[in-house]
Amino acid sequence: MCYMSKKADSGGIHVTRHSAAYWRVTVDIPPLNIFGPANIPQMEQAVSSIEADNEVKVVVFDSAVEGFFATHYDFLSPLEESTKFPAGRTGLQPLPDMLARLSRAPVASIALIRGRATGVGSELALACDMRFASREKAVLSQWEVGAGLVPGGGPMARLPRLMGRGRALEVLLGADDVNGELAERYGYVNRCLPDAELDQFVDRLARRIASFDKQAIAETKRLVNLASLPPDSEIAPEWGAFIDSLGRKAARDRIGKLMERGFHHPGDVETRLGHYVGELAS
């Protein structure tokens, strides 16, 4: 099964069944895996399929683009393209809606992070049940505050539950890149592993979980969710704050400076975004 946008050069979200019980969802939006309004229907279709299928037990999210798990939102698309979608099934706006539903879906979800998981990529990883990162190649960040923005996909509700208030504020307000080892130490990811071992580890874990009883998986996850997931009421304000922040002068000025330096294009700004947002005032 494969869900793609109509334009081949815009990439897509691909869903592959390795077996009835084990699926992969691959972000393939070259060259940088920038997630935008064109990808919202694709991710919606993927999440809806996960929710509706009675046999799938584990889903691994990964990337087909070298160096990028998934990055920030698409700032070149007109704002009306992002605000035209109706609220999702939870009542949240489409992106936070899909992430909240993924967290509650009766399957185990795993993020395999090789490359940058920045902004939306970080938020997708946080919505998964487990996160495993490449020691050499993974970089996670919520970079938005450094650009005058407010993150919109739920990290303020999720990060404090994973790593505590102080570390969550360090990640969010520091807006800097976090490598795999620090991400593991802070609880941002479950483990960071040598890059050469990452694929085998995740595949082995996924196949192990896929061999278990679906009802036992779903019930166990449901009960863990009761003790750990934020309610939708905590996530709801974040998307509105993100959209509002896009219209502020501080954000327009900072995003403009990043664009002048090469933001949204392959190169050093996208590779070292945490460094560049820290240099915008100089």
Side-chain angles (χ1 to χ4, degrees), residues 1 15-24 49-50 52-59 107 206-207 209-212 214:
M1 179 194 304
V15 180
T16 305
R17 285 187 172 100
H18 286 255
S19 70
Y22 172 21
W23 295 8
R24 288 246 177 171
S49 295
I50 292 167
D53 194 280
N54 292 324
E55 295 184 87
V56 63
K57 302 174 188 177
V58 59
V59 179
V107 304
R207 292 183 186 279
I209 295 171
S211 73
F212 298 155
K214 172 148 185 171

Side-chain angles (χ1 to χ4, degrees), residues 96-152:
D97 169 79
M98 291 181 285
L99 298 181
R101 286 160 51 207
L102 174 63
S103 294
R104 295 196 183 104
V107 304
S109 54
I110 300 172
L112 189 162
I113 304 170
R114 173 179 284 114
R116 295 193 65 91
T118 301
V120 174
S122 168
E123 292 159 1
L124 171 60
L126 290 171
C128 289
D129 301 323
M130 292 166 267
R131 291 154 293 283
F132 299 98
S134 165
R135 180 169 296 157
E136 298 91 340
K137 298 182 179 180
V139 178
L140 296 92
S141 80
Q142 294 291 162
W143 67 287
E144 292 91 341
V145 168
L149 300 168
V150 177

Side-chain angles (χ1 to χ4, degrees), residues 177-193:
D177 292 341
V178 178
N179 64 30
E181 290 189 0
L182 183 60
E184 180 186 60
R185 194 181 319 145
Y186 273 23
Y188 208 154
V189 300
N190 290 58
R191 306 189 202 184
C192 77
L193 297 105

